[in-house]
Amino acid sequence: MQTVPHVTIITPSLNQAHYIEDTIQSVLSQDYFSLEHIVIDGGSTDGTLDILEKYRQTDLRFRYISEPDNGQSEAINKGLNLAKGDIIGWLNSDDTYCQNAVSNAVKAFEQHPEWTVVYGKAFIINEKNEIIRSYPVRPFTMNQLFHSCFICQPAAFIKKTAFDRAGGVNEHLDFCMDYDLWIRMAKRKETFGFLNKYLANTRFYANSKTGAKLFDAGFPEIIETLKQHFGAVSKQWILFFLNHFRHKGSYQFLYLFKKYSLLGKSSKVHLSKKVDYLPSFSATINSNPSEPVQAILFKGELKKFRTCRIEIVHNGKTVYHSTIRKGSFELVIPLFIKNREIIEVKLKRPHDQYYAGETIFRLDHLLPLSKKEWEFYQNFEKGAREITKWVHQHFPDAHFQEKDENT
């Protein structure tokens, strides 16, 4: 008798009682019998465990563990250590497989024994299992991987030997651990095969990780991953987030660009927490001589009075003054600073009347902007067309620096 490959499907889970039964059924109803399904639960309290126990008692191919963990990445690695299969599938607890997904993946491996990763097409579905659109899957090239995550994680199957060589998923990542895994595997010369069939459905909804955390958690992790592996961030990624999250405002982008030096090294002054001030405060700016400060972005809140006059003093001279209204405010002030210099912000009521010793405003953020950062801000404020043109001129195109995996 010919031995068929054994397949392990790993599902990390936490409080997904609403979806996890669909996930389990999509695995156990596959037409490929030599498989096991392992759910690694993080200690759910929403009824998930009752569902898991039901399937444990009725299907020998299904097992689970439930205990507190450090998140999805650790759960996947736990499952990998428990897996008995020759081929690994990773299916999140709100995603599902299409019919014949496992058998189609196994056949692809048998027909192409040199492949160590097989990935197929996928649908994006909503909470009601309705198809929204197809996931933008593409045939594999390393260059394209620099520009986008075109492999849909639930539609990918991996030989366990390749997964083990990669050392599992990066447990320091909470959002783009799959993207990081594809890059690391590609750099280790694993062979990716594209199967032109629909294998999985990935669910998108407001409370999903992608729906809720794509910008705040996903964007920084994608930047870190690209900087680590390629030494640069593709303009396609920058434009993707600008197109979808322009409403976040220029500050959110500038803060990340400065944090990761995407527009060159520049002065970094950032308040780690919101600080309340009396009518005035001063700050020292240590400007990088090679990238002098061209402007300063202030974000804060006027907490008292209906309006106040704000003055910016640089080296003892007032360089800006205006009136701000109660509530949140954002100011970007052109201000050339080449060395270590002091600026002072003063808020005054009309006729210089205020309550002695009482906080008038709160400063949330202070960002010194280099020439490129200042240009980004100006073009961002002009509109989507102008900032798109500017990004095309200042971010990498099809070329990237592939860093040594051992560094």
Side-chain angles (χ1 to χ4, degrees), residues 217-320:
F219 194 20
E221 283 197 7
I222 289 169
I223 292 174
E224 289 180 356
T225 298
L226 290 168
K227 290 277 285 187
Q228 175 188 352
H229 293 301
F230 299 114
V233 177
S234 164
K235 69 182 177 185
Q236 275 81 349
W237 275 116
I238 301 298
L239 290 172
F240 171 85
F241 282 96
L242 279 169
N243 290 335
H244 288 83
F245 296 96
R246 180 176 171 79
H247 62 278
K248 291 283 187 176
S250 57
Y251 167 80
Q252 299 293 336
F253 288 92
L254 284 166
Y255 171 70
L256 289 174
F257 292 172
K258 183 176 289 292
K259 180 178 180 180
Y260 297 105
S261 301
L262 297 190
L263 295 175
K265 295 182 179 180
S266 63
S267 304
K268 297 179 181 180
V269 177
H270 175 67
L271 302 176
S272 59
K273 59 181 180 180
K274 298 175 181 178
V275 182
D276 290 339
Y277 290 96
L278 296 174
S280 66
F281 80 98
S282 63
T284 301
I285 307 296
N286 294 307
S287 181
N288 183 346
S290 62
E291 292 284 349
V293 172
Q294 304 288 322
I296 298 180
L297 185 153
F298 300 89
K299 279 180 69 73
E301 180 187 5
L302 178 60
K303 303 180 70 172
K304 296 287 183 181
F305 314 128
R306 185 172 299 174
T307 61
C308 269
R309 178 183 174 86
I310 187 169
E311 293 184 357
I312 310 298
V313 179
H314 178 218
N315 291 337
K317 181 180 179 181
T318 298
V319 294
Y320 178 87

Side-chain angles (χ1 to χ4, degrees), residues 72-120:
Q72 184 180 3
S73 295
E74 183 184 23
I76 296 161
N77 285 339
K78 280 185 182 180
L80 188 63
N81 290 332
L82 295 172
K84 298 177 181 178
D86 309 294
I87 297 169
I88 305 296
W90 161 10
L91 187 69
N92 291 327
S93 53
D94 53 359
D95 297 333
T96 58
Y97 281 137
C98 297
Q99 290 183 351
N100 308 324
V102 175
S103 59
N104 282 328
V106 171
K107 287 177 185 177
F109 279 121
E110 291 175 339
Q111 293 170 358
H112 301 275
E114 74 279 9
W115 289 0
T116 53
V117 181
V118 166
Y119 67 98

Side-chain angles (χ1 to χ4, degrees), residues 342-357:
I342 297 175
I343 61 168
E344 187 176 10
V345 179
K346 297 180 178 181
L347 263 72
K348 300 179 180 180
R349 286 202 71 201
H351 312 299
D352 293 336
Q353 295 177 4
Y354 56 83
Y355 299 110

Side-chain angles (χ1 to χ4, degrees), residues 60-273:
L60 295 176
R61 297 172 297 167
F62 181 83
R63 55 192 169 119
Y64 75 93
I65 61 173
S66 182
E67 60 187 18
D69 56 37
N70 292 319
Q72 184 180 3
S73 295
E74 183 184 23
I76 296 161
N77 285 339
K78 280 185 182 180
L80 188 63
N81 290 332
L82 295 172
K84 298 177 181 178
D86 309 294
I87 297 169
I88 305 296
W90 161 10
L91 187 69
N92 291 327
S93 53
D94 53 359
D95 297 333
T96 58
Y97 281 137
C98 297
Q99 290 183 351
N100 308 324
V102 175
S103 59
N104 282 328
V106 171
K107 287 177 185 177
F109 279 121
E110 291 175 339
Q111 293 170 358
H112 301 275
E114 74 279 9
W115 289 0
T116 53
V117 181
V118 166
Y119 67 98
K121 299 164 73 175
F123 293 112
I124 300 174
I125 61 173
N126 62 17
E127 295 170 286
K128 299 179 181 179
N129 292 320
E130 297 168 336
I131 295 174
I132 302 173
R133 61 183 180 276
S134 293
Y135 191 96
V137 178
R138 300 176 183 177
F140 186 88
T141 69
M142 186 63 165
N143 186 68
Q144 186 58 47
L145 200 58
F146 173 57
H147 294 305
S148 67
C149 184
F150 57 86
I151 299 174
C152 186
Q153 166 254 306
F157 293 83
I158 308 164
K159 287 185 177 178
K160 189 173 187 300
T161 52
F163 221 145
D164 289 338
R165 283 193 293 268
V169 298
N170 185 345
E171 295 186 11
H172 295 293
L173 297 175
D174 185 54
F175 193 92
C176 72
M177 68 288 281
D178 55 335
Y179 187 38
D180 171 77
L181 179 66
W182 312 141
I183 296 172
R184 287 190 290 115
M185 284 184 162
K187 293 176 74 173
R188 289 181 175 274
K189 309 303 180 185
E190 304 293 352
T191 306
F192 288 73
F194 172 57
L195 184 60
N196 193 22
K197 294 182 178 182
Y198 283 95
L199 302 183
N201 304 295
T202 183
R203 199 181 301 273
F204 180 86
Y205 53 102
N207 293 328
S208 68
K209 182 179 288 189
T210 302
K213 299 181 179 180
L214 180 55
F215 185 87
D216 295 332
F219 194 20
E221 283 197 7
I222 289 169
I223 292 174
E224 289 180 356
T225 298
L226 290 168
K227 290 277 285 187
Q228 175 188 352
H229 293 301
F230 299 114
V233 177
S234 164
K235 69 182 177 185
Q236 275 81 349
W237 275 116
I238 301 298
L239 290 172
F240 171 85
F241 282 96
L242 279 169
N243 290 335
H244 288 83
F245 296 96
R246 180 176 171 79
H247 62 278
K248 291 283 187 176
S250 57
Y251 167 80
Q252 299 293 336
F253 288 92
L254 284 166
Y255 171 70
L256 289 174
F257 292 172
K258 183 176 289 292
K259 180 178 180 180
Y260 297 105
S261 301
L262 297 190
L263 295 175
K265 295 182 179 180
S266 63
S267 304
K268 297 179 181 180
V269 177
H270 175 67
L271 302 176
S272 59
K273 59 181 180 180

